[in-house]
């Protein structure tokens, strides 16, 4: 049953801790804040682009209705 759970990707607290330890070992403690900052700014840019895209679509729909 445990092998099946691992195969299906069901994660528990020990798997999460193991992943965090591996990330710290690979990138080091100083690189992780820079990595998270880059990911956060990428997500922020994606959200802003999605917000900018929605009004443009609604304006086009309004123009076609008229």
């Amino acid at each position: 049953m445990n092998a099946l759970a691992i195969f299906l990707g069901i994660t528990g607290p020990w798997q999460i801790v193991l992943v965090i330890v591996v990330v710290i070992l690979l990138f080091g403690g100083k690189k992780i804040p820079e990595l998270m900052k880059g990911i956060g700014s990428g997500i922020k840019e994606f959200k802003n682009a999605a917000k900018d895209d929605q009004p443009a679509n609604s304006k086009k729909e309004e123009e076609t209705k008229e």
Side-chain angles (χ1 to χ4, degrees), residues 4-65:
L4 179 63
I6 292 172
F7 179 73
L8 292 176
I10 301 170
T11 58
W14 291 111
Q15 287 85 5
I16 295 171
V17 169
L18 179 65
V19 169
I20 291 172
V21 168
V22 169
V23 167
I24 290 173
L25 289 175
L26 287 176
F27 294 106
K30 295 181 181 179
K31 294 285 183 177
I32 293 175
E34 295 173 13
L35 180 67
M36 294 298 124
K37 185 177 179 181
I39 291 173
S41 64
I43 291 172
K44 185 185 289 186
E45 289 178 22
F46 178 77
K47 287 183 180 180
N48 288 338
K51 285 181 184 178
D52 291 343
D53 191 36
Q54 288 176 352
N57 288 339
S58 64
K59 288 179 184 177
K60 288 180 184 177
E61 290 174 5
E62 289 175 4
E63 291 175 359
T64 58
K65 289 180 183 176

